Amino acid sequence: MNRFKGFFFGMLASASFGLIPLFTLPMMQEGLQTDSILTYRMFLASALVAVLMLLRGVSFATRWRELPWFAFLGFFYYGSAALLFQGYHSMSSGMATTLHFLYPIGVTLIMRLVFGQRTSPYTILAIVLALSGVALLSLKGDVGMGSSPLAFALVLLSGFSYAIYLVAVNNVQLLRAMDNLKLTLYSLLCGGIYFLVDTLLSGGLQPLPSTAALGNLLLLALVPTLISNLCLVRAIKSIGSTLTSVLGAMEPLTAIVIGALVLGEQVTPVMLVGVLLIVSAVTIIVLSPLLDSNIAERLRRFARRSPRP
């Protein structure tokens, strides 16, 4: 049941992340820059988490040895978003999105090389299907060949930064044992500080232009930030970093659905194939515990039947 909840929260986290364009695009159309939007988003979401902690009676107290880890998580959360948006300015958005969503490979490599975790063949198959689906949803015929090698490196680094964030939450014992609300609060707060410094260095924090922008900002902080990050931490602690990272493919899928239903964007047959591949990947991930146990049982039966020397 705990693993089932982990899969549910992982899909809910990635799907809610995919709602970011729904609330961000209207604010950008009113003239707000991404630096200001991201700064407001992080601090407002931190305030909402703090309210939840007060309602649930969760302590805000921290120990000195926890502070470096909060700064660590906030830095890589910030780095993931900042480098991805930098990529959007340097190459096609489709190519940037596809390169960023290579992060399940980064998670798999870190878990294998650093922690010695064996990767299930079904997980590898799901990663291939998910990445193929993301590519079909994102590229839309534009491969961004004019982009510089530096731009490609920065976007790949954005995905690797997110991979480090996912791995740390599940494999640093101090973080794993921490209350999810407290972990989310200080991670977002530290990330917001990094965004604020970046914003101040690049021209200053813009004021909100309208009450509509305030409403969109509240929804941005609530749904694809507060809810998504709480669900993300819950999923990581339940099913691990690798499986959670593959479920992240639901994010561009949600963005495509929102674009088609709300923003009137066209859905092509190629994109439908991408949707099918992502749904297949998510299905394999959800069923992977049963599939892995089936393989293990067959290996045990084969071992029992094999003659001893």
Side-chain angles (χ1 to χ4, degrees), residues 175-247:
L175 299 176
R176 182 171 177 80
M178 190 178 297
D179 182 89
N180 292 347
L181 284 173
K182 178 181 173 181
L183 174 61
T184 302
L185 170 67
Y186 289 111
S187 298
L188 292 177
L189 191 59
C190 288
I193 292 173
Y194 291 121
F195 279 117
L196 178 60
V197 172
D198 191 2
T199 302
L200 295 176
L201 293 176
S202 60
L205 190 65
Q206 296 174 282
L208 294 178
S210 66
T211 54
L214 176 60
N216 281 308
L217 185 62
L218 287 170
L219 291 172
L220 178 67
L222 176 62
V223 183
T225 309
L226 171 62
I227 293 176
S228 57
N229 278 280
L230 288 176
C231 291
L232 179 69
V233 172
R234 179 71 179 272
I236 292 171
K237 291 184 178 181
S238 297
I239 61 175
S241 306
T242 304
L243 297 183
T244 302
S245 69
V246 181
L247 293 176

Side-chain angles (χ1 to χ4, degrees), residues 22-163:
L22 182 63
F23 309 119
T24 303
L25 291 177
M27 289 188 284
M28 295 176 67
Q29 291 171 356
E30 292 191 59
L32 276 178
Q33 300 296 316
T34 54
D35 287 343
S36 293
I37 293 174
L38 291 170
T39 302
Y40 282 126
R41 173 196 178 197
M42 301 298 281
F43 281 116
L44 186 53
S46 299
L48 294 175
V49 178
V51 171
L52 282 179
M53 291 177 67
L54 288 172
L55 293 176
R56 292 187 54 186
V58 178
S59 174
F60 289 86
T62 62
R63 291 170 289 179
W64 282 107
R65 65 192 185 98
E66 294 174 342
L67 297 181
W69 285 111
F70 294 144
F72 177 88
L73 291 180
F75 176 77
F76 283 103
Y77 196 100
Y78 154 79
S80 175
L83 292 172
L84 178 59
F85 277 96
Q86 182 64 38
Y88 286 149
H89 294 298
S90 306
M91 65 177 67
S92 70
S93 60
M95 175 58 77
T97 300
T98 302
L99 291 174
H100 174 77
F101 274 90
L102 292 175
Y103 67 76
I105 296 179
V107 171
T108 303
L109 289 175
I110 295 172
M111 294 302 299
R112 178 67 178 175
L113 298 176
V114 179
F115 299 98
Q117 182 187 73
R118 185 185 69 85
T119 304
S120 162
Y122 294 109
T123 300
I124 295 175
L125 174 60
I127 289 174
V128 173
L129 292 175
L131 294 179
S132 301
V134 169
L136 292 177
L137 289 181
S138 304
L139 292 180
K140 303 174 188 177
D142 182 1
V143 296
M145 293 302 293
S147 303
S148 68
L150 178 59
F152 276 86
L154 289 177
V155 178
L156 286 174
L157 191 57
S158 78
F160 191 68
S161 296
Y162 193 57

